[in-house]
Amino acid sequence: MENQRERVHVLVLTYPAQGHINPLLQFAKRLASKRVKATLATTHYTVKSIHATTVGVEPISDGFDEGGFKQAPSVKAYLESFKTVGSRTLAEVILKYKDSESPVNCIVYDSLLTWALDVARQFGIYGAAMMTNSASVCSMYWQINHGLLTLPVNQETVPLTLPGLPSLASSDLPSFLAQPASNPAYLAAILEQFGSLNKNDWVLCNSFEELEKEVFKSRSLLLRAMLGLWPLVMIGPLVPSAYLDQQIAGDSAYGANIWEPTGDRCMRWLATKPEKSVIYVSFGSMADIAANQVDEIARGLKASEKPFLWVVKENENKLPVEFVNSVGETGLVVRWCNQFEVLAHQAVGCFITHCGWNSILEGLSLGVAVVAVPQFSDQPTNAKFVEEVWEVGVRAKKNKAGIVTGEELNKCVNEVMDGERSQKIKRNVSKWREFAKKAVSAGGSSDKNIDEFVVRLLKADG
Ligand code: UDX
């Protein structure tokens, strides 16, 4: 069976956004490290951002090859175009390998792209959905899709008590559920993925069993029993293996950057700072931060008197001039960096984050304490877990205008880095780092799940 491995070929299809490409590419790398042939399919617009030596890369089209999503007139139009043009061009990739030594046996697709399962069926090959949110968030969407929870989830229906989840106030809910009208096209796409889940051969999830034990248990005991199969397979955290005992060669970064990272400068700057002294600030790839919020973050960082590294993306021109002039050596402001490498640096002691699921998994895997400043989507729910379930950080409170003030931010930073609560938080981050590492190391829960996935493909091939 060992010699057959190279003949098993998994085509991994991403949604073309940074927070989706990273985990899917990482999964492809994990497969390649198990000597399975893995090819990443991503759009023409994003393909140039991939640098992976062990994984093949194939471009497909979403119908907007020059500018991607930003070229589309609306979210709805984009998703429709991706479905039509993407299905056709994905099929062309499968046909390209059809008579080769390694025809495609399985498509693992970002769960938002439900049409990829139809392509898999058209060719009679396996299909697996990959969830890029936490299992807890997925379970909420799934319950809505199955009529167990009704929209809008509002002040009258909260706090919500759902199987395996802590009691949730409306400020803890994914924004698409708390305010369904805020982005109906995304909400529809998110809910649609849960309609056909049980038609997949696997439903993979970028999380690990120990991290979401409660929902994982409730899923098997209650939901699965009551409502049929939801064969969720936890295979995460899908982060670079740099922090493992047995690293995958060359795997210290994801190998995908839609924006050009400020490379060595960050590392050189971090090297001048004492251990666990630096605040790293990033709001991921999608959130648009209002100018008055940028202002307050600047005030909070200044007030903390601690060194900071702040990823501002295109918010550079919102920075207050006096702040920029007074930063000096205390702070480094960059447009984009290699976040995983930065978080892995010993100088980093705190992560002010929007709580995107990848950022959360990265912080947990590397043992960095969190100040949660959620913006939208699944981020409020992730923040709830950070503070109350895993106890690896605190959530900053918003004022009446919906802004986290500089004073509040400074208070939270002190709480996780120096205050009374910091000792407990530090113990917890170390604990979760070990659990995360164990899950993906040889024989760990997620590693075993990936092995079982590969073995099933091998059996089918043999
Ligand atoms: C969003 C959602 O919020 C997330 O929960 C969902 O699962 C995917 O879509 P995003 O807002 O981009 O994602 O945040 P996050 O999930 O944290 O992903 C951002 C990725 O970009 C991370 O892997 C992070 O390491 C990377 N990053 C960020 C960099 O490499 N450099 C940076 O400067 C900032």
Side-chain angles (χ1 to χ4, degrees), residues 17-20 22-23 132-134 254 256-257 261 280 282-287 311 313 334-340 343 351 353-360 362 376-379 382:
Q18 190 73 60
H20 293 252
N22 282 359
T132 58
N133 282 174
S134 73
Y254 283 103
N257 273 303
Y280 171 64
S282 164
F283 287 82
S285 68
M286 285 166 151
V311 175
K313 273 192 74 217
V334 298
R335 286 176 72 89
W336 190 254
C337 69
N338 185 337
Q339 177 166 301
F340 191 76
L343 285 172
F351 184 10
T353 170
H354 69 314
C355 299
W357 185 234
N358 297 288
S359 292
I360 293 298
E362 291 159 19
F376 80 126
S377 183
D378 54 335
Q379 298 153 17
N382 298 341

Side-chain angles (χ1 to χ4, degrees), residues 44-253:
H44 283 283
Y45 182 64
T46 51
V47 81
K48 51 187 173 294
S49 66
I50 313 287
H51 303 282
T53 49
T54 56
V55 168
V57 183
E58 290 286 352
I60 61 159
S61 180
D62 55 7
F64 298 97
D65 293 344
E66 296 306 314
F69 172 73
K70 285 196 179 124
Q71 267 191 323
S74 66
V75 173
K76 193 163 181 277
Y78 178 75
L79 294 172
E80 277 168 9
S81 167
F82 201 2
K83 180 176 180 171
T84 315
V85 189
S87 298
R88 181 165 45 77
T89 49
L90 187 67
E92 282 165 13
V93 174
I94 296 172
L95 284 171
K96 175 178 161 182
Y97 289 97
K98 196 161 180 277
D99 298 318
S100 74
E101 274 183 4
S102 44
V104 176
N105 310 82
C106 178
I107 301 176
V108 173
Y109 64 95
D110 189 303
S111 58
L112 278 174
L113 307 175
T114 47
W115 46 262
L117 185 60
D118 300 329
V119 178
R121 295 299 177 243
Q122 180 191 329
F123 288 95
I125 60 179
Y126 282 116
M130 169 80 81
M131 319 304 292
T132 58
N133 282 174
S134 73
S136 303
V137 166
C138 290
S139 83
M140 294 173 77
Y141 289 138
W142 184 77
Q143 289 180 64
I144 287 186
N145 189 282
H146 287 73
L148 292 174
L149 195 59
T150 44
L151 283 175
V153 182
N154 55 28
Q155 297 300 343
E156 287 81 59
T157 41
V158 293
L160 272 182
T161 43
L162 298 171
L165 301 185
S167 164
L168 298 165
S170 60
S171 58
D172 302 325
L173 300 174
S175 63
F176 301 136
L177 302 187
Q179 301 106 31
S182 64
N183 211 323
Y186 267 134
L187 178 62
I190 286 172
L191 294 183
E192 189 191 328
Q193 51 184 323
F194 294 90
S196 53
L197 267 194
N198 59 2
K199 299 200 179 106
N200 287 280
D201 298 297
W202 295 267
V203 181
L204 309 172
C205 182
N206 183 18
S207 186
F208 56 106
E209 289 168 14
E210 296 78 5
L211 186 66
E212 298 193 84
K213 218 190 308 184
E214 295 308 316
V215 81
F216 191 72
K217 266 195 316 206
S218 76
R219 186 267 306 171
S220 26
L221 293 181
L222 179 69
L223 303 180
R224 198 173 183 176
M226 276 168 57
L227 294 151
L229 290 177
W230 195 37
L232 196 68
V233 182
M234 310 283 240
I235 41 84
L238 292 171
V239 298
S241 64
Y243 69 99
L244 295 178
D245 296 333
Q246 293 165 326
Q247 292 172 26
I248 301 171
D251 190 30
S252 65

Side-chain angles (χ1 to χ4, degrees), residues 338-397:
N338 185 337
Q339 177 166 301
F340 191 76
E341 262 179 4
V342 166
L343 285 172
H345 198 284
Q346 57 164 5
V348 175
C350 167
F351 184 10
I352 299 182
T353 170
H354 69 314
C355 299
W357 185 234
N358 297 288
S359 292
I360 293 298
L361 289 176
E362 291 159 19
L364 280 168
S365 305
L366 295 166
V368 184
V370 165
V371 171
V373 186
Q375 301 297 305
F376 80 126
S377 183
D378 54 335
Q379 298 153 17
T381 315
N382 298 341
K384 171 83 172 177
F385 274 72
V386 160
E387 186 170 59
E388 290 182 22
V389 179
W390 307 314
E391 298 183 87
V392 291
V394 298
R395 178 177 183 171
K397 290 186 183 58

Side-chain angles (χ1 to χ4, degrees), residues 3-24:
N3 297 338
Q4 275 171 254
R5 283 186 173 245
E6 285 88 356
R7 280 183 38 214
V8 170
H9 187 175
V10 180
L11 189 60
V12 179
L13 171 66
T14 70
Y15 183 83
Q18 190 73 60
H20 293 252
I21 294 174
N22 282 359
L24 271 297

